[in-house]
């Protein structure tokens, strides 16, 4: 039979891959030392660059990063490559990032001497969890700083689809500290360059966000990590960005545009960049450096003709205001020159997915914004060819798409992206997309999702026939496309296809071919010198070439092209026989719709499922497949890992039967934590009334709530604002406290909650908190007085940094006071609530062991109060709330994990050092060890050091401590009351007295050291321990410091300081 099909773009002249597998770079040593050209995915190169010991002191890999396929290779390299930095795995939870802050804080003088350039891997959602902790980062130095590599991919929606949205960061960008740079990259070369640049910004901590949803995972791009080869000059951020070949902002489009759209660098920015070259009157600004925001540079990149600026912000829901809008508005709006109109385009995760899967929709929106006549704007070039392979993971034919892409890569650009769906079918489905296009300088790169929308594939190869029965695969083909089905069926195929699939094939006029590769390969024995699965891949490979090359194909020509690949698999002249057999076995199916039999009341067929990208797989050097961060025995298990992650975490022995308690959704619907409603039973002041510090003890009854906590964990208290202050504010603002208002739930797209104004302002809105810079810029838009508007804009602008710092750090002004200072700025109450944001829970170390106290949780708290420069007495919001609690009053709480936990072996010695209320977790430790001793369970030595100013006024839980000393629960106590004697004595002095035994406990008995309290004594305590090791265990100062750092990694040198 003669077969004529379409002719592909360019005939490959050589093949660079084999059908056995794809060669990889030698992992020994770092290939980034030389100006090599890579074809590996950019994300692999970023991992390689970030994990070198010459680049990072340590790499912290958060679980959420590994769940999206970033970090797995680093872990593998840590055991196979000597040049890999130490790797530490961390979980993402409340307080994520505190361990990084602790490592960089002045508490570790060894890190300050030797340098601690830390790298962390996390996702946008993980970065959002870390944001609050990052506010405590110490200043960055050339040898002490943090670089966070953020692969931009996030699980969204009930189907767990993966998306490049940054919606989870919409509220995060505004609270990041000033000494942190945020870089965003989109293309492979740019991603690698900015990853390298992030280690050259030696005076700043850096967050680098790159597209891991698609482009950075693709193979087939060539790039050179040139920045690694350059000596870095001593320049400021703008100059260093320009030195690297980039700008803060890129402007593309009409030089006389009246409409400009602004987007963060990423997939949508690449699409907009392509669209704007085909649309008159429109310009695009792509933001590459988000922090620090350079308002002057932004204004300078806009054309003078601009009248409207549309800001595209990733947001959780359409009612949230994005931080990019606030930055742009603050840069353009001034009292003397109002500037262009600035409008918000809020892009929810659902909208992001729609734009990527249907580029015409995004193109139509941009055309509408530019006030142009809508016209069809196609992003794909006419010379582009698209090949799509569907298979099941781990099938014998799964390496085939990589082989095909490599074969074409010598003469054309051949991009390959592999996605997985582990939910819609047991065992999973793999989709390999290949885009072939002419190779030329300056060719624009589009996200694969936009390059390859539904219904545009020129060629589809289905490597498992059963997929046609369950999934709508043929809808991916364009009209007249070629489809190759690897199946024993030929003429029987139409009778075995679902009616929907057959109708789609007929309607699209598809040309479907079948090939029984297994039957063909079985005709060749062991004389060909290859395994049966490799022979099958050669057979299918030959068929793919034949169908793709079309009229240009002949059996000898196809065989000649395949020699570079097949001769590495097949011996001698056997290729000619295999080629001839493959050629003969390829059959075209005559499509027709069979007559429908009358089946009476038979159940209608199930609708065909759609492929949904929800999993990323990483193949490690040792042959392991890691799916969504888990090494699993099957792809079906991968789905279970994602759906039920808690089932696959290491179990903890239950202390008692746990009853299931459901959370009341009306309790605190706006917070993501599981909350509990507990009852205050004790509120007792521990210090004398005349003493200037109010330290008090709280007890809460947890009966009926289901609240369980581990020793050392923290209690998150969702405190309320003062009732009278809220009522006074409502009166001043002119709003009825009983009026019902509806506010969006920031963490949930489209969800809202309704409260009275008083309830919202007292219980949920941080009205008396400290406003960030973005609040001033956002508030300026509502000021009717030119003076107020100008002042707010100035404070929110870069040039107003010193004024903002004075207001925040010295005057400690609140949101309410800012509103009262600029009374003409009065947004509506719902808008105001959204601008201010919610009260964050304050976390306090739990001062009790549940194994001892049962259905109770205790806290040890000191009130925070100070006097502002204007004489106003200030109070810490939550400690004021807790100090005023009455017995019987209900309190909303949540649980936060902590680094403060007892060692796994009860015989391990523990050394506790607590200052003031830092004694709280150690009370829980002592309660539990006393219980073990009472039960006859042996426990190791317990050393307790406590420090405060006066024994009479501030010996917290002194009676309990004395009892523990007497009964032997405490082996040795060191009590330092610094103001009671003629000479100040602190806990580090008492530790020096016990240097011999402390050094032995840590060095020889696997002891664990804990310090809890303020940060100021940490360097002295560290030096005391170093001195003890030097004096008694034969260490040098350097080796003692290294030993303590190793204890920190083993969680045996634990700091919880504030």
């Amino acid at each position: 039979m003669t077969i004529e099909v379409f002719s592909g773009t360019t005939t490959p002249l050589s093949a660079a891959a084999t059908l056995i597998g794809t060669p990889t770079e030698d992992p020994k040593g770092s290939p980034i030392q030389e100006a090599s050209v890579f074809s590996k995915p950019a994300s692999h190169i970023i991992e390689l660059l970030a994990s070198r010991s010459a680049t990072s002191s340590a790499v912290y890999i958060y679980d959420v990063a590994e769940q999206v396929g970033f970090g797995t290779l680093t872990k593998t390299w840590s055991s196979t490559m000597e040049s890999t930095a130490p790797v530490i795995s961390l979980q993402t939870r409340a307080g994520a990032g505190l361990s990084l802050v602790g490592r960089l804080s002045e508490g570790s003088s060894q890190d300050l001497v030797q340098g601690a350039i830390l790298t962390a891997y996390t996702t946008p959602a993980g970065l959002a969890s870390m944001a609050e902790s990052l506010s405590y980062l110490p200043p960055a130095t050339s040898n002490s700083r943090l670089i966070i590599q953020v692969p931009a991919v996030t699980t969204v929606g009930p189907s767990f689809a993966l998306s490049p949205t940054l919606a989870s960061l919409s509220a995060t960008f505004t609270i990041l500290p000033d000494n942190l740079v945020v870089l965003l990259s989109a293309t492979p070369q740019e991603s690698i360059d900015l990853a390298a640049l992030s280690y050259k910004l030696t005076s700043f901590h850096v967050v680098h966000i790159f597209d891991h949803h698609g482009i950075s995972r693709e193979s087939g791009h060539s790039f050179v990590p040139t920045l690694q080869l350059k000596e870095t000059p001593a320049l400021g951020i703008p100059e260093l960005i320009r030195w690297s070949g980039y700008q803060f902002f890129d402007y593309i489009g009409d030089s006389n545009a009246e409409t400009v759209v602004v987007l963060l660098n990423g997939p949508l920015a690449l699409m907009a960049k392509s669209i704007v070259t085909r649309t008159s009157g429109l310009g695009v600004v792509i933001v590459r450096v988000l922090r620090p925001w350079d308002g002057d540079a932004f204004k300078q990149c806009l054309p003078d003709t601009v009248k409207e600026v549309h800001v595209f912000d990733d947001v959780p829901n359409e009612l949230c205001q994005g931080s990019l809008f606030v930055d742009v508005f603050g840069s353009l709006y001034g009292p003397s020159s109002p500037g262009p109109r600035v409008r918000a385009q809020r892009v929810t995760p659902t909208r992001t997915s729609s734009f990527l899967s249907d580029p015409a929709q995004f193109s139509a929106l941009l055309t509408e914004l530019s006030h142009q006549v809508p016209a069809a704007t196609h992003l794909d070039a006419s010379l582009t060819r698209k090949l799509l392979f569907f298979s099941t993971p781990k099938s014998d034919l799964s390496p085939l798409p990589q082989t095909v892409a490599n074969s074409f890569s010598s003469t054309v650009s051949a991009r390959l992206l592999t996605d997985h769906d582990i939910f819609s079918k047991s065992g999973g489905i793999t989709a390999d997309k290949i885009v072939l296009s002419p190779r030329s300088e300056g060719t624009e790169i589009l996200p694969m999702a936009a390059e390859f929308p539904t219904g545009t594939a020129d060629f589809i190869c289905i490597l498992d026939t059963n997929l046609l029965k369950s999934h709508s695969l043929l809808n991916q083909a364009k009209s007249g496309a070629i489809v190759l089905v690897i199946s024993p069926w030929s003429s029987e195929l139409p009778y075995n296809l679902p009616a929907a699939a057959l109708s789609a094939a007929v309607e699209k006029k598809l040309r479907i071919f079948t090939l029984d590769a297994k039957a063909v390969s079985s005709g060749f024995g062991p004389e060909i010198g290859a395994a049966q699965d490799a022979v099958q891949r050669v057979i299918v490979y030959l068929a793919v070439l034949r169908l793709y090359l079309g009229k240009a194909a002949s059996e000898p020509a196809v065989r000649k092209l395949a020699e570079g690949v097949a001769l590495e698999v097949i011996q001698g002249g056997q290729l000619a026989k295999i080629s001839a057999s493959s050629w003969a076995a390829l059959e075209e199916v005559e499509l027709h719709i069979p007559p429908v039999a009358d089946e009476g009341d038979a159940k209608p067929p199930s609708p065909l499922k759609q492929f949904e990208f929800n999993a990323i797989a990483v193949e490690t050097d040792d042959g392991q497949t890691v799916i969504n961060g888990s090494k699993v025995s099957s792809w079906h298990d991968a789905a279970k890992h994602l759906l039920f992650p808690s089932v696959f975490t290491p179990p903890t022995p239950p202390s008692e039967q746990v009853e299931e308690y459901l959370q009341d959704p009306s309790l605190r619907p706006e917070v993501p934590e599981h909350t509990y409603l507990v009852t205050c039973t004790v509120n007792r002041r521990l210090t004398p009334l005349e003493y200037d510090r109010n330290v008090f003890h709280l007890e809460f009854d947890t009966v009926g709530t289901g609240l369980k906590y581990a020793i050392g964990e923290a209690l998150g208290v969702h405190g309320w604002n003062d009732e009278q202050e809220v009522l006074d504010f409502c009166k001043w603002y002119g709003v009825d406290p009983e009026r019902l208002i509806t506010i969006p739930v920031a963490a949930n797209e489209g969800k809202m909650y309704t409260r009275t104004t008083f309830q919202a302002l007292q219980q949920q809105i941080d009205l008396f908190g400290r406003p960030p810079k973005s609040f001033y810029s956002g508030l300026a838009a509502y000021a009717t007085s030119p003076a107020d508007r100008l002042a707010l804009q100035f404070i929110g602008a870069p040039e107003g940094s010193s004024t903002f710092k004075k207001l925040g750090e010295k005057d400690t002004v609140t949101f309410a006071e800012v509103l009262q200072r600029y009374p003409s700025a009065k947004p509506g109450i719902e808008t105001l609530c959204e601008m201010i944001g919610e009260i964050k829970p304050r976390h306090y170390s739990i001062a009790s062991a549940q194994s001892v106290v049962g259905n109770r949780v205790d806290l040890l708290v000191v009130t925070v109060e100070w006097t502002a420069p204007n004489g106003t007495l200030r109070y810490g919001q939550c400690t004021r709330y807790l100090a005023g609690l009455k017995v019987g009053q209900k309190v909303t709480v949540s649980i936060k994990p902590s680094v403060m936990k007892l060692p796994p072996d009860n015989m391990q010695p523990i050394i506790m050092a607590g200052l003031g209320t830092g004694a709280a977790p150690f009370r829980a430790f002592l309660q539990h060890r006393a219980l073990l001793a009472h039960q006859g369970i042996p426990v190791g030595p317990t050393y307790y050091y406590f420090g405060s100013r006066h024994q009479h006024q501030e010996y917290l839980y002194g009676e309990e401590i004395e009892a523990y000393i007497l009964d032997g629960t405490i082996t040795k106590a060191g009590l330092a009351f610094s103001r009671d004697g003629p000479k100040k004595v602190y806990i580090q002095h008492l530790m020096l007295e016990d240097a011999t035994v402390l050094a032995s406990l840590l060095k020889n008995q696997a002891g664990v050291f804990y310090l809890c309290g303020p940060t100021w004594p940490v360097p002295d305590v560290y030096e005391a321990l170093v001195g003890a090791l030097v004096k008694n265990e034969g260490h040098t100062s350097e080796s003692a410091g290294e030993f303590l750092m190793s204890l920190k990694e083993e969680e045996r040198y634990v700091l919880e300081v504030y």
Side-chain angles (χ1 to χ4, degrees), residues 177-196:
D178 292 339
N179 62 348
L180 195 147
V181 174
V182 178
L183 307 174
L184 300 110
S185 55
T187 68
Q189 181 70 61
E190 183 181 39
S191 299
I192 293 172
D193 285 347
L194 295 193

Side-chain angles (χ1 to χ4, degrees), residues 43 46 70 149-153 185 191 208-213 216:
S43 62
I46 293 171
F70 193 78
Q149 302 291 353
V150 183
V153 60
S185 55
S191 299
H208 172 223
I209 303 172
F210 59 95
D211 172 24
H212 192 63
H213 179 262
S216 78

